[in-house]
Amino acid sequence: MQRIGIIGGMSWESTQLYYRLINERVRAVKGGLSSAPLLIHSVDFAPVAALQAAGDWDGLTRLMVQAGLDLKAAGARSLAIATNTMHKMADEVAARTGLPLIHIADATAACVRAAGLTRVALLATRFTMEQAFYRDRLTAAGLSVLVPDAGERAEIHRVIYEELCRGMVRDDSRATYARIIAGLKDRGAQAVILGCTEITMLVRPQDIEMPLFDTTAIHAAAIADQAIRDDLQ
C-alpha cells in the first residue's frame, strides 16, 4: 500500500478518531494484522484557530501547503486533510504539492446521493456553514444545502471550539444540537451532514430523527479504501 499523508491536529480530538477508523477498516477488509501505511502531520491547532478567527486565510493556505509538501517529502503519494474547514484551501494544497487529495465533501456527497437523498442540513464551524467553498462543493454534486440561522450557527461554532476541540462532551450541548437539527428537518431537510470532524463526538444517530452523515467516518473510510486500492494495483 502506498503511503497516504494526513494533515491533522485540527483538532487532535478528531485526528485520533481518523487513525482508529482508517485502520479498523483496513483490518476488516484485509484481515489479520493489516493496517494502513499513514504519515500524519499534526499541526499546532492554537495558531491555526487564531488565524481562522482573524480571517487570515492566506496565512492558513501557506501553512497547509507546507504541511502537504512536508508529507510529500516524507514519502506520501496522496493526501487527506482531517478537518472540514481547512478544505477551503484543498485545491491549492493539491495543486502546489502535485498529489491527489481525497476530498471530504466529495466523499460525503457521494454517500448522500447513494442514499437517494438530495436536501441536507449542514452543521459545521461558522466558516464552513457561512462561506461558499464547502456548500458549493455539495451543490455541485447535486445537493441542496440548508444551514441554521445566525444565532444557531454561533452556538454550534462555540460548542465546537470551546467544548469539543477541548475534549468536553456535554449533554446540554447535545440537546441544543438536536433541537437545531429538528428545526432544520421542519424546514425540509432529509438528512443532516455533521460537517465538522468533532461533531461526531457529540451527535449520535439515536439523538436525531433523520439520517446522519458523519464526515469523519465517511472520510476515514474513503482514505482506507484508497489505501486498499493502492495495494491492489
Side-chain angles (χ1 to χ4, degrees), residues 34-127:
S34 297
S35 58
L38 303 173
L39 296 170
I40 300 177
H41 184 131
S42 187
V43 305
D44 181 357
F45 191 40
V48 169
L51 290 170
Q52 290 175 339
D56 187 357
W57 298 103
D58 289 340
L60 288 163
T61 298
R62 289 191 294 271
L63 184 153
M64 294 294 285
V65 167
Q66 187 58 56
L69 290 170
D70 290 347
L71 287 166
K72 182 178 182 179
R77 292 297 174 261
S78 58
L79 295 175
I81 300 172
T83 168
N84 285 272
T85 296
M86 299 301 277
H87 275 74
K88 180 177 174 69
M89 57 281 301
D91 290 343
E92 184 71 12
V93 171
R96 293 282 299 278
T97 62
L99 295 178
L101 186 141
I102 305 163
H103 200 292
I104 195 169
D106 293 347
T108 300
C111 287
V112 175
R113 293 302 303 269
L117 305 172
T118 59
R119 190 169 175 84
V120 295
L122 175 64
L123 268 64
T125 68
R126 174 171 55 82
F127 314 114

Side-chain angles (χ1 to χ4, degrees), residues 16-199:
Q16 66 176 336
L17 298 178
Y18 268 85
Y19 186 73
R20 176 174 60 80
L21 292 168
I22 291 167
N23 282 300
E24 284 178 348
R25 188 172 180 91
V26 169
R27 182 174 60 191
V29 172
K30 293 178 63 63
L33 298 175
S34 297
S35 58
L38 303 173
L39 296 170
I40 300 177
H41 184 131
S42 187
V43 305
D44 181 357
F45 191 40
V48 169
L51 290 170
Q52 290 175 339
D56 187 357
W57 298 103
D58 289 340
L60 288 163
T61 298
R62 289 191 294 271
L63 184 153
M64 294 294 285
V65 167
Q66 187 58 56
L69 290 170
D70 290 347
L71 287 166
K72 182 178 182 179
R77 292 297 174 261
S78 58
L79 295 175
I81 300 172
T83 168
N84 285 272
T85 296
M86 299 301 277
H87 275 74
K88 180 177 174 69
M89 57 281 301
D91 290 343
E92 184 71 12
V93 171
R96 293 282 299 278
T97 62
L99 295 178
L101 186 141
I102 305 163
H103 200 292
I104 195 169
D106 293 347
T108 300
C111 287
V112 175
R113 293 302 303 269
L117 305 172
T118 59
R119 190 169 175 84
V120 295
L122 175 64
L123 268 64
T125 68
R126 174 171 55 82
F127 314 114
T128 304
M129 289 186 288
E130 295 178 357
Q131 297 182 27
F133 71 94
Y134 197 90
R135 291 182 287 105
D136 284 355
R137 196 94 178 192
L138 298 176
T139 300
L143 302 181
S144 175
V145 182
L146 300 175
V147 297
D149 66 29
E152 292 170 337
R153 294 197 301 270
E155 179 61 10
I156 290 167
H157 185 89
R158 184 199 68 77
V159 169
I160 291 168
Y161 281 83
E162 295 183 14
E163 296 177 15
L164 301 178
C165 288
R166 301 168 189 260
M168 294 186 291
V169 179
R170 297 169 55 99
D171 288 338
D172 57 341
S173 295
R174 179 178 290 119
T176 296
Y177 272 49
R179 174 181 55 77
I180 293 170
I181 292 168
L184 291 161
K185 182 181 180 183
D186 290 342
R187 289 170 52 192
Q190 300 169 314
V192 58
I193 291 175
L194 303 185
C196 169
T197 54
E198 279 78 31
I199 299 179

Side-chain angles (χ1 to χ4, degrees), residues 184-231:
L184 291 161
K185 182 181 180 183
D186 290 342
R187 289 170 52 192
Q190 300 169 314
V192 58
I193 291 175
L194 303 185
C196 169
T197 54
E198 279 78 31
I199 299 179
T200 185
M201 299 163 57
L202 184 67
V203 178
R204 305 160 299 185
Q206 62 265 36
D207 297 321
I208 62 174
E209 296 181 352
M210 59 180 169
L212 181 155
F213 291 88
D214 173 6
T215 57
T216 307
I218 291 168
H219 199 206
I223 295 167
D225 290 347
Q226 181 63 56
I228 293 164
R229 284 194 297 271
D230 289 343
D231 191 39

